[in-house]
């Protein structure tokens, strides 16, 4: 109940800051443009998910790590009230993660509605993209929170780790996978590759998108291995389960850290 | 009643509290003095559960505070630097805290009047002067009529008039039998508001007892002289 009170005030504050509206508008504009130029079909859908795979982690991680510094006063105010630290943590987290997920959903859905895409395409594909975007928002905000808590006294360090983390997961990781394949191509590396793809939540999300749209040409090595190993539907289930544990682990570590912290 | 047993805390290699023992009986007003960085604020923050001790325990009315949060219902706290969410208006802040406390009866109207904050109620916290923010902090600490009041350098940013207003309020609270704990560098303030004095250096209590006894012991007229002598003895 008290978490709800905390959430309510933070949302009010976020809307006053207006950037969350801008964040939703960015998705609106991008989706609108992609649908206009790519037609209301799977092609536009795929482009939207590619943007989502880059932008959602970036914003979630950076804002997640900065948010704690920014709401320092609010946090300190709450800490001296008769509140459990757990309640405060979830209030702060939900105060950011839920609006981020909502902004994404809103920005992507609106152009789909007026372009008629929502009604012409398979519902489960669209739902899949939306749910993935929402999960990624929660996941990366959680990682951002964890980084922010770990470097609570040093915001430059926190921001740095968030940026480098994003760069690593979104861009460098693929290069490393390719390098590993290039060097170790003669050995049976399918299973280690499978493990490697599970170690990167962005990769997991991409694999889910590709399995859903069944585009083997774009699947990349890890995607192809995933497909061969699990097949489409089981592959999606396994990838989703790993994504969920990716969401939970940083959050659980974050709460336990927050409970023990000196503030 | 606040009981502190064997409390130790270090930040990195720096020991801030060193096996601190302290009992503050109910209804007593106590002032903590000591040089900068002696552990006054850390002691207070530990009682509030903001700082987690390395060793030892804190009991509020006989209940261990670690892992416990309900005890904060009994405590009103006014921090050293009053910083509050910048975009909230004063009214919103009060309403928010009331909602957090489950809308229990509160006396903020009376306190707002006492400090003359009526004109500030619809202003954002960001636009408030430091002194007015401090007053908001004072209202927040006393609006639920808590049994224990903790003030960390409460009058540091207040003008003389507000400072007098604040002290009058604290005296009333004292007469109602509240347990009061305050830190300050202004000795006259402790003379006015407290009966007991704690002198703390490098995380250890060097003196804890009635104020008059200390003044007599050092053959001084005022507390300031007595505390200065204490500090000199420490430095020697």
């Amino acid at each position: 109940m008290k978490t709800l009170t905390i959430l309510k005030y933070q949302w009010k504050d976020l809307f006053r800051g207006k950037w969350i509206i801008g964040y939703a508008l960015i998705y609106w504009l991008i989706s609108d443009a992609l649908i206009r130029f790519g037609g209301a079909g799977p092609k536009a859908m795929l482009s939207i998910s590619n943007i989502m795979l880059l932008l959602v982690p970036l914003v979630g991680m950076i804002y997640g790590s900065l948010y704690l510094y920014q709401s320092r006063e609010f946090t300190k105010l709450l800490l001296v009230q008769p509140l459990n630290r757990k309640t405060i943590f979830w209030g702060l987290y939900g105060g950011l993660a839920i609006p981020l997920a909502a902004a994404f959903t809103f920005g992507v859905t609106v152009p789909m509605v007026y372009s008629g895409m929502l009604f012409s395409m398979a519902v489960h594909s669209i739902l899949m993209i939306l749910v993935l975007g929402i999960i990624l928002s929660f996941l990366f905000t959680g990682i951002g929170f964890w980084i922010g808590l770990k470097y609570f006294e040093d915001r430059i360090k926190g921001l740095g780790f968030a940026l480098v983390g994003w760069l690593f997961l979104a861009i460098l990781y693929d290069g490393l996978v390719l390098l590993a394949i290039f060097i170790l191509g003669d050995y049976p590396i399918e299973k280690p590759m499978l493990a490697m793809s599970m170690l990167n939540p962005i990769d997991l999300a991409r694999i889910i998108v590709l399995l859903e749209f069944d585009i083997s040409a774009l699947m990349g090595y890890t995607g192809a291995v995933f497909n061969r190993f699990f097949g489409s539907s089981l592959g999606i289930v396994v990838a989703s389960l790993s994504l969920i544990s990716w969401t939970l682990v940083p959050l659980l570590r974050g709460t336990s850290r927050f409970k023990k912290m000196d503030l | 009643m606040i009981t502190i047993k064997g409390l130790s805390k270090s930040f990195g290699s720096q020991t801030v509290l060193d096996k601190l023992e302290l009992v503050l009986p109910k209804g007593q007003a106590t002032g903590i003095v000591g040089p900068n960085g002696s552990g006054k604020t850390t002691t207070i923050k530990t009682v509030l559960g903001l700082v987690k001790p390395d060793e030892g325990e804190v009991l509020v009315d006989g209940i261990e505070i670690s892992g416990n949060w309900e005890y904060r219902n009994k405590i009103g706290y006014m921090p050293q630097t009053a910083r509050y969410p910048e975009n909230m208006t004063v009214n919103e802040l009060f309403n928010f805290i009331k909602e957090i406390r489950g809308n229990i009866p509160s006396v903020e109207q009376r306190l707002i009047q006492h400090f003359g904050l009526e004109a500030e109620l619809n202003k954002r916290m960001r636009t408030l002067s430091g002194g007015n923010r401090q007053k908001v902090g004072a209202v927040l600490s006393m609006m639920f009529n808590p049994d224990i009041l903790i003030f960390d350098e409460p009058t540091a940013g207040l003008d003389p008039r507000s400072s007098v207003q604040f002290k009058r309020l604290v005296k009333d609270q004292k007469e109602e039998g509240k347990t009061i704990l305050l830190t300050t560098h202004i000795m006259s303030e402790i003379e006015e508001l407290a009966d007991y004095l704690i002198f703390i250096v490098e995380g250890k209590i060097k003196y804890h007892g009635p104020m008059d006894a200390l003044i007599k012991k050092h053959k001084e007229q005022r507390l300031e002289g007595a505390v200065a002598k204490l500090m000199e003895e420490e430095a020697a």
Side-chain angles (χ1 to χ4, degrees), chain A residues 118-186:
Chain A
L118 201 60
F119 316 105
S120 62
M121 265 191 72
V123 180
H124 63 89
S125 295
I126 290 175
L127 270 182
M128 174 78 84
I129 299 298
L130 291 179
V131 169
L132 260 185
I134 291 167
I135 291 179
L136 284 179
S137 300
F138 279 97
L139 194 160
F140 280 95
T141 310
I143 296 180
F145 253 62
W146 181 52
I147 294 175
L149 283 173
K150 213 165 163 66
Y151 303 100
F152 195 65
E153 299 307 324
D154 192 347
R155 74 158 83 189
I156 300 297
K157 226 178 189 170
L159 183 64
F161 273 100
L163 265 175
V164 169
W166 173 79
L167 205 65
F168 180 76
L169 292 177
I171 294 157
L172 293 180
Y173 201 87
D174 278 350
L176 285 180
V177 169
L178 271 179
L179 197 70
I181 296 165
F182 183 70
I183 296 172
L184 305 166
D186 296 338

Side-chain angles (χ1 to χ4, degrees), chain B residues 40-236:
Chain B
K40 302 185 294 284
T41 299
T42 309
T43 309
I44 283 178
K45 283 190 167 179
T46 314
V47 172
L48 287 162
L50 292 173
V51 168
K52 307 276 170 177
D54 298 335
E55 267 171 64
E57 52 180 15
V58 179
L59 294 97
V60 172
D61 289 347
I63 297 159
E64 233 278 271
I65 63 161
S66 91
N68 198 334
W69 51 271
E70 285 96 342
Y71 78 98
R72 281 198 287 270
N73 273 315
K74 297 178 196 160
I75 298 182
Y77 168 60
M78 180 175 168
Q80 199 169 46
T81 40
R83 297 192 59 189
Y84 299 102
E86 300 206 319
N87 283 327
M88 263 192 201
T89 65
V90 179
N91 237 339
E92 272 175 341
L93 180 65
F94 289 151
N95 288 334
F96 172 63
I97 295 298
K98 268 159 66 177
E99 224 174 304
I100 286 286
R101 294 259 187 161
N103 289 317
I104 53 169
S106 57
V107 294
E108 83 274 12
Q109 286 312 331
R110 189 170 63 80
L111 295 166
I112 288 167
Q113 256 172 31
H114 184 88
F115 285 116
L117 276 173
E118 293 95 337
E120 316 288 328
L121 286 178
N122 291 317
K123 288 187 189 160
R124 299 269 165 93
M125 290 307 297
R126 146 164 51 84
T127 64
L128 249 56
S129 72
N132 279 335
R133 258 182 249 183
Q134 202 80 351
K135 289 183 204 166
V136 169
V139 175
L140 282 177
S141 68
M142 289 182 261
M143 64 193 268
F144 299 105
N145 233 341
D147 291 337
I148 300 169
L149 285 162
I150 299 178
F151 303 115
D152 198 355
E153 299 196 21
T155 56
L158 295 179
D159 61 50
R161 183 167 160 254
S162 318
S163 179
V164 168
Q165 280 174 338
F166 174 78
K167 281 188 268 191
R168 205 163 59 216
L169 208 57
V170 175
K171 273 182 213 155
D172 290 348
Q173 298 284 322
K174 198 175 125 188
E175 264 148 41
E176 281 174 37
K178 304 283 173 67
T179 311
I180 294 170
L181 183 63
L182 88 156
T183 75
T184 178
H185 288 298
I186 307 164
M187 292 305 130
S188 63
E189 207 167 282
I190 292 201
E191 275 178 305
E192 268 182 81
L193 299 178
D195 313 312
Y196 280 72
L197 184 86
I198 293 172
F199 181 64
I200 180 170
V201 178
E202 284 168 5
K204 278 189 181 146
I205 292 177
K206 299 289 177 181
Y207 178 84
H208 181 196
M211 208 155 42
D212 348 335
L214 182 78
I215 298 174
K216 265 186 209 140
K217 190 180 149 203
H218 286 89
K219 301 188 186 67
E220 287 282 344
Q221 303 288 316
R222 313 264 334 215
L223 183 64
E224 189 148 32
V227 170
K229 276 194 181 162
L230 261 183
M231 285 191 177
E232 271 161 33
E233 275 169 28
E234 267 317 306

